[in-house]
Amino acid sequence: LQLDPLVILARSHDLMLHSRVVGYQPRLFDELAYGNREFFDWGGWLAVRPMAELPHWRVIMRRNRGHEGWAATEREHGGAIEEMRGALRDRETVSGRAFEATERAAITNYRGSKDSSLALYYLWRVGEAMTHHRERFERVYAATERVAPEALIRESSDDEAERFMARKAVAFAGIGRIGPLSRALLRTVTREEERALERSMLECGDLVSVEVEGWKGTHFVLGSDVGQLEEIASNDIPAAWAAIETTNEQEVNFLSPLDPVSARGRAKQLFEFDYVWEIYKPAHQMVFGRYTMPILWGDQLVGRLDAKLDRKANTLVVNGIWLEDAATAKSPAFRDALAAGMWRMSSFLGATSVDATAVVDRRLRAAMGNRRAAWRG
């Protein structure tokens, strides 16, 4: 589950969980990750991961030592690293804010402007520190021994860790390939090594090869997913997937810009839906909006919504909605589903009103603005 600091409506991981979990609230994530310690966050590609996976990730953490830019960090800031190592040893928690900028060496680094901040981040990357909790999304660190269960503070073998990372790559894609692995494993992995690993994982049933119409070459799925895929191929929905309240036909989902369903080109690959997150584009290059979210209705991405939360007015403001097929707006079923999705989103955000005056289509404007009609409780 990818984490991101931006808050336009809500944080990316909260939007992803909101789209999947009935009654989700951010405090539930905090309780599981930083209270119950069922998950931990880590990585340059920042994500929260199951705590049970820690032994595999500790192999990658160890490989960060001396890898590329971290070797220079060790040389240039060795004193600060040792100082922060001592702080982690002596204190329950350590925050970068605890060290005044006037008392620290100033640096130019996107990980921080003080040598203490970079040193703490380095110790986090190599596994000596973990995120104890977050304050306004900033990490508050603690020594690994104060956060993770003792039984998990160990390394799996290199082979176990690398096979795990290969499975993880396929699992994340759903249908995909195990490579390229060099970046994930922090070592050079040749294509021949990848092919040998693929053959080994096919032989033991970890992976199953599949061909996808319109895709080049052979791809893989996890062996553990085959049963569910066979159910889907028979037009059955696995029991574990049954909707608890409304289905995607009855209520649209607004997908986070970083949602793995649609981000990083997958919207085009899977849905023939061209989607680009425009948050970092200059204004003159924007086509839709800074925080445009794909709209999932049924099993299709039917459009996109750009919205923001006006916190002073406590209002969910819809800047625009664009449908792939204009005829979708004529569907009463879609308008009802749109209204239901808008109601759930505004309730999640704590908004007391929805401002859809910027929406051109009066039918869609009415659907999104009518909160009472949208309520299905």
Side-chain angles (χ1 to χ4, degrees):
L1 183 68
Q2 186 174 0
L3 307 183
D4 188 83
L6 289 175
V7 185
I8 305 297
L9 290 174
R11 299 199 192 282
S12 177
H13 64 279
D14 287 324
L15 290 170
M16 281 190 269
L17 290 168
H18 160 72
S19 71
R20 291 159 168 79
V21 181
V22 172
Y24 172 76
Q25 290 295 324
R27 63 175 176 78
L28 300 176
F29 171 85
D30 291 337
E31 287 174 9
L32 288 172
Y34 307 121
N36 301 346
R37 304 295 183 196
E38 294 186 36
F39 302 92
F40 70 98
D41 63 50
W42 181 82
W45 185 83
L46 180 60
V48 64
R49 313 167 195 278
M51 185 67 79
E53 296 179 356
L54 183 60
H56 302 306
W57 289 102
R58 285 186 64 79
V59 173
I60 309 303
M61 293 174 182
R62 182 242 304 160
R63 291 181 183 179
N64 270 276
R65 296 179 185 273
H67 182 75
E68 294 181 354
W70 294 118
T73 299
E74 292 164 0
R75 289 193 306 270
E76 296 171 17
H77 302 287
I81 290 171
E82 192 57 39
E83 183 183 352
M84 294 303 106
R85 188 175 281 132
L88 288 167
R89 184 175 57 248
D90 298 337
R91 306 181 193 180
E92 288 289 327
T93 60
V94 180
S95 168
R97 289 182 177 270
F99 302 92
E100 295 292 337
T102 54
E103 300 173 0
R104 305 303 312 179
I107 61 172
T108 303
N109 189 288
Y110 74 107
R111 298 300 181 187
S113 59
K114 300 176 290 187
D115 62 347
S116 53
S117 298
L118 180 59
L120 285 167
Y121 182 81
Y122 166 83
L123 293 169
W124 178 74
R125 285 293 295 267
V126 301
E128 293 186 46
M130 295 183 75
T131 305
H132 184 275
H133 64 281
R134 286 177 175 269
E135 295 178 356
R136 297 181 180 178
F137 202 70
E138 289 189 21
R139 277 183 294 272
V140 177
Y141 300 94
T144 295
E145 293 75 15
R146 300 183 192 273
V147 175
E150 183 180 357
L152 296 177
I153 305 176
R154 58 180 177 82
E155 289 186 17
S156 7
S157 69
D158 281 6
D159 180 65
E160 287 175 326
E162 294 191 356
R163 292 176 75 91
F164 166 80
M165 295 299 169
R167 285 195 303 272
K168 198 78 168 175
V170 175
F172 187 78
I175 302 173
R177 306 296 296 266
I178 69 170
L181 285 172
S182 296
R183 184 174 181 181
L185 300 183
L186 297 186
R187 72 173 184 85
T188 301
V189 182
T190 65
R191 185 67 188 110
E192 290 71 24
E193 283 184 276
E194 287 181 0
R195 290 195 183 100
L197 183 55
E198 287 172 356
R199 288 193 297 270
S200 173
M201 296 178 74
L202 285 167
E203 289 170 2
C204 72
D206 279 351
L207 300 180
V208 173
S209 62
V210 295
E211 293 183 4
V212 182
E213 184 178 351
W215 292 12
K216 293 181 180 179
T218 300
H219 293 75
F220 304 99
V221 297
L222 296 186
S224 57
D225 286 345
V226 170
Q228 288 185 332
L229 288 171
E230 289 175 343
E231 287 187 70
I232 295 165
S234 301
N235 293 319
D236 292 327
I237 297 177
W241 294 13
I244 293 175
E245 287 188 359
T246 52
T247 66
N248 278 346
E249 284 80 14
Q250 296 168 310
E251 178 179 328
V252 304
N253 260 315
F254 304 112
L255 300 184
S256 160
L258 295 176
D259 197 300
V261 168
S262 53
R264 299 178 183 85
R266 298 199 79 209
K268 177 67 174 177
Q269 187 179 36
L270 299 176
F271 297 95
E272 289 297 318
F273 182 86
D274 283 314
Y275 175 70
V276 176
W277 192 23
E278 299 181 342
I279 191 73
Y280 297 115
K281 286 183 174 292
H284 69 278
Q285 292 182 5
M286 287 184 190
V287 178
F288 298 106
R290 294 182 66 234
Y291 210 77
T292 304
M293 304 169 68
I295 302 171
L296 177 67
W297 182 41
D299 60 2
Q300 295 296 316
L301 297 181
V302 298
R304 60 201 85 209
L305 173 99
D306 181 45
K308 67 178 181 180
L309 180 62
D310 183 338
R311 289 171 173 80
K312 288 185 177 179
N314 210 25
T315 299
L316 176 57
V317 180
V318 180
N319 297 317
I321 183 171
W322 301 265
L323 300 177
E324 294 292 276
D325 182 353
T328 304
K330 299 178 182 179
S331 165
F334 172 72
R335 295 199 299 271
D336 284 348
L338 180 66
M342 186 59 61
W343 164 257
R344 192 182 293 276
M345 176 64 77
S346 62
S347 297
F348 168 66
L349 297 173
T352 56
S353 62
V354 176
D355 180 356
T357 55
V359 176
V360 175
D361 190 296
R362 59 178 178 78
R363 294 163 299 192
L364 300 182
R365 183 169 64 246
M368 288 188 285
N370 189 350
R371 299 171 70 247
R372 181 172 299 175
W375 174 242
R376 292 180 179 271

